[in-house]
Amino acid sequence: MKLKQLLSLSAFISSIAIFSQSYKIIYDFKWKTEEQSKDYNSELTVLLKNDENSYFEALAKFKYDSIKTKLVDEGSRSFPSPKVQWKLQPLIFKDLRSQTTITEENFFDKVYLTTYTCKPIWKIQQEKGKLFNYNIQKAETYFGGRKWIAWFTNEIPISDGPYKFFGLPGLILKISDSEENFIFEIKGLTKEQYNIEGRNAYDTKVNLTPKKWEAFWSKYQKDPSMIFANLNSPNNTFTYVYHGINVDSKEAKEMYNKTEKEKIDIFKIPIETKSCEK
């Protein structure tokens, strides 16, 4: 084989190695609870990216999901309570080949999955700058009822970003809505393997359309304990409990409602004011 062919083959193999890397990208997520507030909540989040798919979730949730997957692989059916509670609840899975997004929400004993086929439509601007030692360029989109301003770099060949954002010719390093109620900004990037595939191995999975999810979520915010209805029946060989208390009891329902409404109230201002699905 000629030297030129060998060099081309070597370059091709190297490019495969580069593009098949798994990336772990840390973003600082800041958001306001009140529209006029000058104060922000803050939480570290993580984007996990491989060839065709990516996951986005709170960093504390990712660490817990990794523990759950490890225990599932070992055959365990019980998991410890998380040591740290995260604020951003959903996991967002993106299939970048089909360009679909799946949101995953965990409530009590079930996992609720909603698939979206809509995606951000970008307008790339001429404005450029520098961030995290990378050259960046501005892009804008209207998504989920808000105008978003993104800064991406084509020096990292990943057409992805935090939350539900993807589709630019490079990695999104920073993105915020036009009123800066929500801000995602990169804090770290490493090439490493990860495994959270088995995190929900023993949970019941419920698939909802975007419209059905909206209806469910509207009811859930008012009365989270509604999901306890009809869990216990005379035919069951076991009893569902919440913190050791029968879920049919008033005490269990009040306790669950209090915990869940505290989580909901952290995002009084929703990231999306309307569904991207028509």
Side-chain angles (χ1 to χ4, degrees):
M1 187 178 291
K2 294 181 181 179
L3 178 59
K4 186 175 180 180
Q5 290 175 308
L6 284 170
L7 289 173
S8 297
L9 179 61
S10 175
F12 175 70
I13 293 171
S14 296
S15 69
I16 292 175
I18 291 170
F19 287 101
S20 63
Q21 289 279 0
S22 294
Y23 288 86
K24 178 179 170 185
I25 304 148
I26 305 297
Y27 292 91
D28 181 27
F29 173 39
K30 297 193 297 184
W31 72 96
K32 293 179 181 179
T33 302
E34 304 289 346
E35 288 277 1
Q36 304 304 320
S37 175
K38 294 182 180 179
D39 299 323
Y40 285 93
N41 299 285
S42 181
E43 180 169 58
L44 290 178
T45 57
V46 61
L47 175 68
L48 306 163
K49 170 71 177 68
N50 60 25
D51 281 349
E52 302 295 343
N53 305 321
S54 71
Y55 298 87
F56 179 80
E57 61 181 339
L59 181 60
K61 186 175 187 301
F62 161 69
K63 291 178 179 178
Y64 183 62
D65 284 346
S66 298
I67 292 170
K68 285 178 68 178
T69 292
K70 183 175 183 295
L71 290 172
V72 167
D73 290 344
E74 293 171 354
S76 176
R77 295 182 68 93
S78 62
F79 312 108
S81 298
K83 294 181 180 179
V84 178
Q85 187 53 255
W86 47 90
K87 298 180 179 68
L88 183 69
Q89 298 301 319
L91 178 148
I92 296 164
F93 169 78
K94 282 173 261 182
D95 183 332
L96 299 175
R97 175 176 289 180
S98 65
Q99 298 198 327
T100 56
T101 302
I102 300 173
T103 60
E104 176 185 296
E105 297 265 10
N106 300 64
F107 299 123
F108 194 54
D109 67 327
K110 295 181 179 64
V111 178
Y112 293 80
L113 304 168
T114 307
T115 301
Y116 297 88
T117 57
C118 53
K119 59 184 180 180
I121 305 300
W122 298 99
K123 290 184 178 180
I124 297 177
Q125 309 297 320
Q126 294 301 312
E127 191 174 345
K128 298 182 179 181
K130 198 92 171 176
L131 179 65
F132 207 64
N133 291 323
Y134 290 100
N135 293 310
I136 56 174
Q137 189 166 355
K138 186 178 181 181
E140 296 178 352
T141 186
Y142 285 90
F143 185 80
R146 296 185 186 277
K147 178 181 178 181
W148 294 88
I149 299 164
W151 293 92
F152 71 95
T153 178
N154 55 20
E155 294 174 9
I156 303 175
I158 300 174
S159 181
D160 206 348
Y163 192 60
K164 297 179 181 179
F165 300 107
F166 67 100
L168 283 166
L171 179 67
I172 296 172
L173 302 190
K174 182 177 180 179
I175 185 167
S176 63
D177 68 293
S178 57
E179 297 177 350
E180 295 198 331
N181 288 314
F182 306 93
I183 304 171
F184 299 89
E185 184 169 354
I186 191 169
K187 292 299 175 185
L189 183 152
T190 54
K191 293 180 181 179
E192 59 181 85
Q193 298 295 318
Y194 56 84
N195 186 11
I196 56 172
E197 297 293 334
R199 63 198 177 282
N200 297 319
Y202 306 122
D203 291 320
T204 301
K205 296 175 179 60
V206 180
N207 289 289
L208 298 176
T209 65
K211 284 186 177 180
K212 287 184 177 179
W213 163 256
E214 284 189 21
F216 169 85
W217 181 237
S218 179
K219 293 178 182 177
Y220 187 86
Q221 291 178 87
K222 296 172 184 174
D223 180 23
S225 66
M226 71 173 193
I227 62 172
F228 289 166
N230 304 317
L231 283 181
N232 289 323
S233 71
N235 297 324
N236 283 358
T237 57
F238 58 89
T239 300
Y240 281 94
V241 296
Y242 179 69
H243 289 302
I245 305 171
N246 189 311
V247 297
D248 293 332
S249 70
K250 181 180 178 182
E251 185 181 358
K253 292 175 182 178
E254 288 178 347
M255 193 186 310
Y256 184 78
N257 280 344
K258 182 177 183 296
T259 299
E260 290 300 294
K261 285 184 178 181
E262 286 174 355
K263 295 177 184 177
I264 292 167
D265 285 347
I266 293 172
F267 289 94
K268 285 182 181 178
I269 308 173
I271 299 177
E272 297 178 54
T273 60
K274 64 180 182 180
S275 174
C276 64
E277 295 281 336
K278 295 181 180 179

